[in-house]
Amino acid sequence: MSKLHLHQHDLPDGLDLGRMVAIDTETMGLDPRRDRLCLVQLSAGDDTAHLVQILPGALDCPNLKALLTDAAVTKLFHFARFDIAALFHALGVLTTPVICTKIASRLVRTYTDRHGLKDLCRDLAGVEISKQQQTSDWGAMELSPEQLNYAASDVLYLHVIWQKLEALLRREGRYEIAEAAYGFLPTLAKLDLLGYGEPDLFHH
Ligand code: MN
């Protein structure tokens, strides 16, 4: 049974989540400029999730910001582009360095077009996760046990998934191009916030 810790506004002092931290966010919607950040989920890959609830007007979270910008800690996301933009818009810090399992999956699992987190959990971690709470009200002052469990499941399996994808990237000779793509993600998130989302800057 995985462990779940709920924190208010920030991570506790002195918490060490290691050199690679899985991170996900829940927001009020899909537009990071319009929809506020409500929850930041983190895991060290040790079957424990730390959930930081961000309430309106309480956006000073020095420990979380220090982790997001710590050059010695790699932040592991699924679809990092959105989370980096949401975190930058809400907290004013650019998350780096990052890895994105969705990009890794697209680069090596070319035999499928199913690159959602649910697909990767099933195919690479052997875990069925539910996406039922995805569209629930993350702005609620008190989150339900179902919401908290769902939010935790979005970070608990990312390390296992990344291990599999990393091996595939090396096998297929695409590790370096994946790294280059991750390096561009913070800039891409900024471009999204500037309004260069669709069509993107590179489109004809
Ligand atoms: Mn999520």
Side-chain angles (χ1 to χ4, degrees):
M1 195 64 192
S2 36
K3 283 190 231 88
L4 196 161
H5 301 281
L6 180 61
H7 311 288
Q8 301 295 327
H9 314 311
D10 200 2
L11 289 167
D13 290 341
L15 179 68
D16 184 359
L17 294 173
R19 300 293 294 273
M20 186 177 287
V21 183
I23 305 185
D24 185 41
T25 64
E26 302 302 334
T27 61
M28 286 302 291
L30 295 178
D31 183 343
R33 288 171 296 186
R34 180 192 64 185
D35 305 322
R36 75 176 172 87
L37 177 69
C38 300
L39 192 69
V40 183
Q41 308 100 281
L42 306 97
S43 177
D46 57 355
D47 210 28
T48 300
H50 292 269
L51 313 187
V52 180
Q53 191 176 18
I54 309 285
L55 295 170
L59 290 179
D60 191 31
C61 36
N63 294 335
L64 179 59
K65 286 183 188 176
L67 177 70
L68 296 177
T69 55
D70 188 339
V73 177
T74 300
K75 274 68 71 172
L76 176 60
F77 293 91
H78 184 78
F79 198 49
R81 178 180 186 170
F82 176 83
D83 298 295
I84 296 170
L87 290 163
F88 184 64
H89 189 69
L91 308 178
V93 295
L94 201 55
T95 305
T96 181
V98 299
I99 282 175
C100 177
T101 51
K102 188 162 196 153
I103 285 176
S105 179
R106 283 211 171 113
L107 280 169
V108 288
R109 298 173 73 249
T110 41
Y111 48 82
T112 177
D113 58 359
R114 301 181 71 90
H115 303 289
L117 182 62
K118 190 176 165 64
D119 303 307
L120 298 191
C121 280
R122 187 186 51 241
D123 295 351
L124 300 177
V127 180
E128 280 294 339
I129 61 165
S130 163
K131 281 275 156 193
Q132 213 178 353
Q133 296 294 318
Q134 189 165 34
T135 50
S136 63
D137 176 13
W138 292 101
M141 298 294 277
E142 201 156 325
L143 297 168
S144 70
E146 290 77 19
Q147 283 180 305
L148 295 175
N149 285 326
Y150 163 80
S153 73
D154 276 354
V155 290
L156 287 173
Y157 311 109
L158 283 181
H159 285 76
V160 173
I161 289 167
W162 167 242
Q163 276 181 6
K164 299 278 176 71
L165 289 170
E166 183 183 14
L168 289 171
L169 284 166
R170 293 197 188 281
R171 190 189 80 190
E172 298 300 320
R174 295 200 174 151
Y175 189 83
E176 281 182 6
I177 200 159
E179 280 200 312
Y182 307 148
F184 180 64
L185 281 167
T187 302
L188 184 59
K190 274 188 170 175
L191 285 167
D192 285 344
L193 289 171
L194 284 171
Y196 290 103
E198 289 291 330
D200 69 46
L201 203 57
F202 307 99
H203 203 263
H204 187 299

